[in-house]
Amino acid sequence: MAELTLEWVESGVKKSSKVELAIARIGRDPARCDLVLSHPTVSGLHVVIYFDPQKQSFWIRNMRESNPPIVDGHRLEQGEIELQNNSAIALGQQLLQVTQIQISPIEINPPITIHGNNPVYGLQCPNFKCAKISSYEKITLVCPWCGTSLAGAASSILPPH
């Protein structure tokens, strides 16, 4: 189990949200985001927070180069940075705080499928409603089935055809 809790104040009301072992798209656009913030300085799709099972940690990725988030005082213009307990995240003028990170290691042992003499690997969509596996030859930045970012995707052995 992996879970990250965010807290923020919006229109004078304290709010919180949990990101669980998957991915959360955060921004102002409800059509593209899992966590919608109303502040006008937040971009439509501002950042993605995801859990990396290999590193056993949560990461934040900038999705808007022209309006980069500030994480713990550092402008995240490109790429991603690991989140910690009490990390402060500024999306425009909206401030979020990581108030809790809970990680219980889980053991995942997928069945090994051998093609010839070698297993064939791919990336498993981190959206548990989809969880489909894309072969490395067809990898893009997003899952071809549901559009979820593959930034936090785990390597998986492809099932037999």
Side-chain angles (χ1 to χ4, degrees), residues 93-114:
Q93 294 176 10
Q94 178 68 64
L95 303 176
L96 297 98
Q97 181 85 38
V98 176
T99 57
Q100 184 178 23
I101 295 177
Q102 271 187 289
I103 299 171
S104 303
I106 58 172
E107 191 173 314
I108 301 173
N109 292 320
I112 295 177
T113 303
I114 305 294

Side-chain angles (χ1 to χ4, degrees), residues 43-100:
S43 295
L45 175 57
H46 208 124
V47 295
V48 170
I49 293 178
Y50 67 92
F51 180 74
D52 184 327
Q54 276 75 35
K55 295 178 182 174
Q56 290 290 297
S57 56
F58 281 93
W59 294 77
I60 186 168
R61 175 179 287 244
N62 177 20
M63 301 301 288
R64 187 65 183 201
E65 287 184 28
S66 63
N67 189 12
I70 298 173
V71 181
D72 296 326
H74 303 285
R75 281 175 73 91
L76 180 61
E77 296 195 23
Q78 293 181 6
E80 56 211 21
I81 190 169
E82 185 176 3
L83 293 172
Q84 308 292 329
N85 272 320
N86 299 315
S87 281
I89 304 165
L91 305 180
Q93 294 176 10
Q94 178 68 64
L95 303 176
L96 297 98
Q97 181 85 38
V98 176
T99 57
Q100 184 178 23

